[in-house]
Amino acid sequence: MRKEPRQARSRATVEAIVQAGAHILSDEGWAGFTTNRVAELAGVSIGSLYQYFPDKLSLVDAIRHRHLDDSIAVMRKIRADGISPAEFAAQLVRAVVAAHSVYPGLHRVLLDEAPSSEEYRNPSSAFEIEYLSYYAEAVATYRKRQPNPADHASARVISDAIDGVIHNAARRGAIDDPAMQRELVRLIILFLGEPG
Amino acid sequence: MRKEPRQARSRATVEAIVQAGAHILSDEGWAGFTTNRVAELAGVSIGSLYQYFPDKLSLVDAIRHRHLDDSIAVMRKIRADGISPAEFAAQLVRAVVAAHSVYPGLHRVLLDEAPSSEEYRNPSSAFEIEYLSYYAEAVATYRKRQPNPADHASARVISDAIDGVIHNAARRGAIDDPAMQRELVRLIILFLGEPG
DNA sequence: AGAAAATGTGAACAACTTGCTCACATTTCT
DNA sequence: AGAAATGTGAGCAAGTTGTTCACATTTTCT
């Protein structure tokens, strides 16, 4: 950030810019993401955008940062211990679906298309590690043992599988399809249920 | 195609162009896919490229056409009837992994990033329909009944789940990871085994 | 009220990018 | 040899776009 917004008015401006950016990334992908279009959709002049973001990349990073932090936060609310696999799976799917309801394509674009100065895409990024350890924890819980390095492969596969189902549903504009959600829940339950 | 290659030499040229295009799409995505770069990587002048492809889009379509046809062909070789779910899953994973070994990122880029004149991305495209009916058939087989419209949700979910696992593995450069393949096979077996 | 700080504006530009053509050379076929 | 097929690549026309800057407006502070 080039300058910190001090007044309420400027904080609203920054917020509008971030929202508009997320909207465009989700709908048009990285190719449609130009600073001028973001400013226009935000209802703000291009000059204002550059008042708070030194360049285009810093804007993407801000959007990414916020989105990934939100994703983690939503997921962390659902802990595996104390509830059945079925309950866990149902809650998890509900949360993931909700997280993709606002900007369905955003997650995919941020991870696959958009370049980043910080290395979020790196397998060893803080985000990836936290994301993965969450699933590893759930796997370990239902296999009734301590978190195990061998569970990491399981964690990665179930995490990527969920990602794929959600991402493709989002692309078809069908994240709210109940049949899809039901089957996804079933998939998770089965995978978590039986030991490797 | 603007002109049909008649001699062996020109057929080799076209082949080199298609391969180079696939390579660039896979490695750099749609953003890095410029006609000049494709021609350069193919070891061919830009003029030659435009001799056989009237414009950029027709080249992507040619690449897409070939890649998707290949994918379907590879999958169709593995029929569900007559073999156990375990055997089917193992063969399927082997085939999908092999299909992504050459240009790991290609499939994703073709479906998600690259624009198309024909509508491959459309849910009702011939490709999508054939792809999906393949999985629906497998689901129906192991549920020991006639192919059922209700199986379509299952088919879509398992198909998208496999897609997600493969795609993310490809991004990490880990499509050959045996642990991942083992877990993916397990996922498929479990999902196909139990009825909805 | 007046000064100062914060915030907002948008026309304009400089620097690139890139799809594509065309006039001409070379190779292959008949 | 003549014709047809194939190959070449410098260069252009037509954008695209990230970013600046001189100036206007609003808010806060004294």
Side-chain angles (χ1 to χ4, degrees), chain B residues 29-142:
Chain B
W30 174 251
F33 184 78
T34 73
T35 50
N36 283 295
R37 286 198 57 192
V38 170
E40 188 191 353
L41 182 61
V44 155
S45 92
I46 180 67
S48 291
L49 189 156
Y50 278 94
Q51 235 151 80
Y52 302 102
F53 301 96
D55 53 30
K56 194 185 178 179
L57 227 60
S58 73
L59 175 53
V60 200
D61 275 337
I63 295 169
R64 197 190 329 255
H65 205 104
R66 171 166 326 180
H67 176 74
L68 295 186
D69 281 2
D70 285 359
S71 300
I72 288 279
V74 165
M75 274 181 28
R76 279 281 171 201
K77 280 187 185 164
I78 300 156
R79 319 285 328 315
D81 52 280
I83 58 177
S84 69
E87 188 64 31
F88 174 73
Q91 287 187 21
L92 183 61
V93 168
R94 240 195 316 273
V96 174
V97 164
H100 283 78
S101 289
V102 194
Y103 303 118
L106 183 59
H107 201 86
R108 191 208 97 227
V109 170
L110 286 175
L111 260 49
D112 276 351
E113 283 189 54
S116 55
S117 52
E118 308 179 42
E119 283 310 320
Y120 274 96
R121 325 170 75 174
N122 196 295
S124 59
S125 74
F127 174 73
E128 276 278 335
I129 288 175
E130 183 156 9
Y131 199 78
L132 203 62
S133 75
Y134 172 80
Y135 280 103
E137 209 175 295
V139 168
T141 299
Y142 292 120

Side-chain angles (χ1 to χ4, degrees), chain A residues 78-191:
Chain A
I78 300 155
R79 320 283 329 318
D81 51 281
I83 58 177
S84 70
E87 189 63 32
F88 174 73
Q91 287 186 20
L92 183 62
V93 168
R94 242 195 314 273
V96 175
V97 164
H100 282 79
S101 289
V102 193
Y103 303 119
L106 183 59
H107 201 88
R108 191 208 98 229
V109 170
L110 286 176
L111 259 51
D112 276 352
E113 282 188 54
S116 55
S117 53
E118 307 179 43
E119 284 310 320
Y120 274 96
R121 324 170 75 174
N122 196 294
S124 59
S125 74
F127 174 73
E128 276 278 335
I129 288 175
E130 183 156 10
Y131 199 78
L132 203 62
S133 75
Y134 172 80
Y135 280 102
E137 209 175 296
V139 168
T141 299
Y142 293 120
R143 290 186 186 168
K144 297 184 176 58
R145 54 178 169 186
Q146 289 302 308
N148 188 324
D151 293 340
H152 272 214
S154 294
R156 190 144 250 164
V157 164
I158 191 61
S159 146
D160 290 347
I162 295 171
D163 183 87
V165 172
I166 293 293
H167 155 202
N168 280 294
R171 194 174 43 169
R172 294 195 310 275
I175 17 171
D176 292 319
D177 178 18
M180 172 243 115
Q181 294 179 18
R182 208 166 41 235
E183 289 297 305
L184 180 54
V185 167
R186 193 167 74 81
L187 181 77
I188 299 170
I189 294 172
L190 287 171
F191 192 82

Side-chain angles (χ1 to χ4, degrees), chain A residues 41-95:
Chain A
L41 181 61
V44 154
S45 93
I46 179 65
S48 290
L49 190 155
Y50 278 93
Q51 212 129 110
Y52 302 101
F53 301 96
D55 54 30
K56 194 184 178 180
L57 228 60
S58 73
L59 175 54
V60 201
D61 275 337
I63 296 169
R64 196 188 331 254
H65 205 103
R66 170 165 328 182
H67 176 74
L68 295 187
D69 281 1
D70 285 359
S71 300
I72 288 279
V74 165
M75 274 183 26
R76 279 283 171 200
K77 280 188 185 165
I78 300 155
R79 320 283 329 318
D81 51 281
I83 58 177
S84 70
E87 189 63 32
F88 174 73
Q91 287 186 20
L92 183 62
V93 168
R94 242 195 314 273

